[in-house]
Amino acid sequence: METIDRNLLEQQILQILEELKEQSSFEQGDLFIVGCSTSEVQKKKIGTSSSKEIGEIICSVIYKWCEENGLYMGAQCCEHLNRAIVVEEKYQKEHGLRKVNVIPRKEAGGSFATASYHNMKHPVIVEYVKAQLGIDIGNTLIGMHLQEVVVPVRTSINFIGEAPVVCAKTRPKFIGGCRAIYDETLI
């Protein structure tokens, strides 16, 4: 972790999250999905150099921000766990999601999901969610965990460490065609 500045990493994450908040509308209890490759943050190929320390830093910043904004955080595991998601048990129960039995670790799940599992109050693992917004750090492909209509959100920072970052929000589908009228607050 000698090439990563903890303070800079925390500042980058917080700035991205605040810009995402400014450009999004969400409700208390919505899910914020996070995919994070700690290898990519270090400018290494995804899945090759997982860092417990980077996972813990990123998790602590995002988890705290989610709590402060009334959101649940979902942590996407790596492909060794079929991209299962770590969530709080309360969220799992509120949404009727089926738990699966696995505990993420650095070698199967990844450092970010492992840190999330150990930092959440009552973590459980589920296979499927449909989040309202999210962040993808290092091309981890969170799209499968977002609601159907995804809108990219541009932020002034495009990297966390050396990992490319893409943020997303969702919106309800437009239906009805040319005669329909739409609620502009939902766009």
Side-chain angles (χ1 to χ4, degrees):
M1 170 106 177
E2 49 275 13
T3 61
I4 300 296
D5 177 331
R6 179 187 187 103
N7 290 329
L8 178 60
L9 194 62
E10 290 174 351
Q11 289 171 1
Q12 289 173 327
I13 296 163
L14 283 172
Q15 183 170 340
I16 290 168
L17 294 174
E18 287 304 312
E19 289 180 25
L20 174 62
K21 180 180 174 180
E22 289 171 10
Q23 297 179 57
S24 304
S25 60
F26 51 83
E27 298 176 8
Q28 295 280 317
D30 279 353
L31 184 65
F32 182 73
I33 189 72
V34 182
C36 177
S37 168
T38 60
S39 299
E40 291 282 336
V41 171
Q42 302 171 80
K43 201 171 184 160
K44 307 240 168 91
K45 182 181 174 194
I46 193 168
T48 63
S49 192
S50 193
S51 167
K52 178 181 177 187
E53 185 176 4
I54 292 172
E56 289 173 352
I57 292 167
I58 294 172
C59 171
S60 67
V61 172
I62 295 176
Y63 189 74
K64 181 180 177 191
W65 182 85
C66 284
E67 283 190 319
E68 290 170 352
N69 287 281
L71 299 169
Y72 286 104
M73 183 180 87
Q76 176 182 272
C77 295
C78 72
E79 87 263 11
H80 295 100
L81 297 186
N82 296 328
R83 305 219 191 279
I85 307 97
V86 183
V87 295
E88 289 286 3
E89 183 176 42
K90 184 177 179 188
Y91 180 84
Q92 175 258 324
K93 287 183 176 182
E94 286 174 0
H95 295 274
L97 302 172
R98 187 179 61 194
K99 285 192 279 189
V100 294
N101 187 3
V102 68
I103 297 172
R105 60 192 185 99
K106 181 178 167 183
E107 299 78 12
S111 290
F112 177 76
T114 300
S116 299
Y117 187 85
H118 293 293
N119 285 295
M120 287 185 182
K121 294 173 181 75
H122 301 284
V124 296
I125 310 296
V126 298
E127 288 186 285
Y128 306 104
V129 296
K130 288 296 179 186
Q132 288 73 35
L133 66 162
I135 186 170
D136 187 319
I137 304 167
N139 300 317
T140 62
L141 305 176
I142 63 168
M144 68 183 82
H145 301 306
L146 289 163
Q147 289 180 348
E148 288 181 356
V149 183
V150 179
V151 179
V153 175
R154 306 241 185 267
T155 59
S156 63
I157 296 177
N158 298 316
F159 288 84
I160 292 177
E162 298 294 328
V165 174
V166 175
C167 294
K169 63 183 180 180
T170 60
R171 65 160 177 76
K173 290 180 181 181
F174 291 138
I175 63 167
C178 63
R179 290 190 241 171
I181 298 171
Y182 301 107
D183 182 345
E184 295 294 321
T185 65
L186 297 177
I187 297 176

